[in-house]
Amino acid sequence: MHRCSGNTVPKKRIVKTPVFVFSIILSTIWLFLYSPGLLAGNPDGIKFFRNYPSEEYDDHVSNFYIMQDRDGVIYVANNEALMMYDGVRWEKPGGKLTKVFSLGMDSRGTIYVGKQSDFGLIETGDSGKPQYRKLSELLPGEEKDNVKTVQDICLFRGHVLFRTNNRIYRYKPGNTEPEIFFKAEDNSKGINGFYICGNDLYVKERKRPRHI
């Protein structure tokens, strides 16, 4: 005869759920909470950026520098133009500026442009539209005809600096004429770049760095 006791309590069975199961559950919840594209049935997945093909802005495929002004307008240094994009339209201030390689902005919000053989700034013209004004043509003597490609632009001690491979030109916003700020030595083989550390400017010549 089978005997059983009324005081016997059956043992509870503990089921251990693997840790990776919880990871899958949490990952699934996160995916649906932060990926509205999945809920909307977006067949292309989640897009983190938008691509602008050259057919859309109607110019060269090579872009060398991109920056944004205080109003949110995007400026693009293109191989065949300086382009502006306000989120709706593409424009080209100053007409067909070719070989644009560098851009900069001062504390007033003025946009500066460096290109092959000259440099300048963007200002509002008589028509109320932005236009390009060349600064390099105001350099003294034959220097204005010897400007190389402006590869970098930066602000230093209230001045705008334009760097080529053998000169650094300096322009004080509000003044009329730029000037030569630094000239590479004949045996230095040119300037590779410049860097600001605190209140000091370092020029990288191909042979050695120099402090200004």
Side-chain angles (χ1 to χ4, degrees), residues 80-132:
E80 294 294 339
L82 170 65
M83 302 185 296
M84 294 174 54
Y85 180 61
D86 61 3
V88 179
R89 298 180 305 276
W90 290 92
E91 297 182 4
K92 298 178 177 64
K96 199 73 172 178
L97 298 177
T98 60
K99 309 296 182 183
V100 183
F101 290 99
S102 55
L103 297 169
M105 183 171 66
D106 66 14
S107 58
R108 302 179 181 183
T110 302
I111 300 296
Y112 295 88
V113 180
K115 57 187 296 291
Q116 187 180 56
S117 303
D118 74 69
F119 57 87
L121 55 81
I122 300 298
E123 62 182 5
T124 302
D126 296 335
S127 63
K129 294 185 177 181
Q131 64 181 23
Y132 177 72

Side-chain angles (χ1 to χ4, degrees), residues 154-161 170-172 181 194-202 211-212:
C154 78
L155 299 181
F156 180 64
R157 296 179 181 175
H159 292 78
V160 183
L161 303 184
R170 179 171 65 180
Y171 174 74
K172 177 72 172 179
F181 177 60
F194 54 14
Y195 310 92
I196 296 176
C197 297
N199 293 319
D200 298 319
L201 178 71
Y202 293 86
H211 171 255
I212 298 179

Side-chain angles (χ1 to χ4, degrees), residues 61-75:
V61 296
S62 297
N63 298 299
F64 302 102
Y65 202 99
I66 300 174
M67 71 173 303
Q68 188 176 33
D69 70 6
R70 293 179 174 180
D71 298 322
V73 177
I74 301 295
Y75 290 79

Side-chain angles (χ1 to χ4, degrees), residues 109-197:
T110 302
I111 300 296
Y112 295 88
V113 180
K115 57 187 296 291
Q116 187 180 56
S117 303
D118 74 69
F119 57 87
L121 55 81
I122 300 298
E123 62 182 5
T124 302
D126 296 335
S127 63
K129 294 185 177 181
Q131 64 181 23
Y132 177 72
R133 177 162 69 90
K134 186 184 295 188
L135 294 174
S136 55
E137 66 181 5
L138 301 175
L139 287 167
E142 297 179 354
E143 187 64 34
K144 60 185 176 183
D145 299 321
N146 296 323
V147 177
K148 307 297 184 182
T149 298
V150 178
Q151 299 171 336
D152 289 311
I153 300 174
C154 78
L155 299 181
F156 180 64
R157 296 179 181 175
H159 292 78
V160 183
L161 303 184
F162 303 86
R163 180 189 71 82
T164 69
N165 64 355
N166 65 346
R167 301 277 197 281
I168 296 177
Y169 301 97
R170 179 171 65 180
Y171 174 74
K172 177 72 172 179
N175 288 1
T176 56
E177 299 178 358
E179 60 183 358
I180 299 175
F181 177 60
F182 179 86
K183 181 178 179 180
E185 296 181 355
D186 294 336
N187 63 349
S188 68
K189 296 184 179 180
I191 305 171
N192 273 348
F194 54 14
Y195 310 92
I196 296 176
C197 297

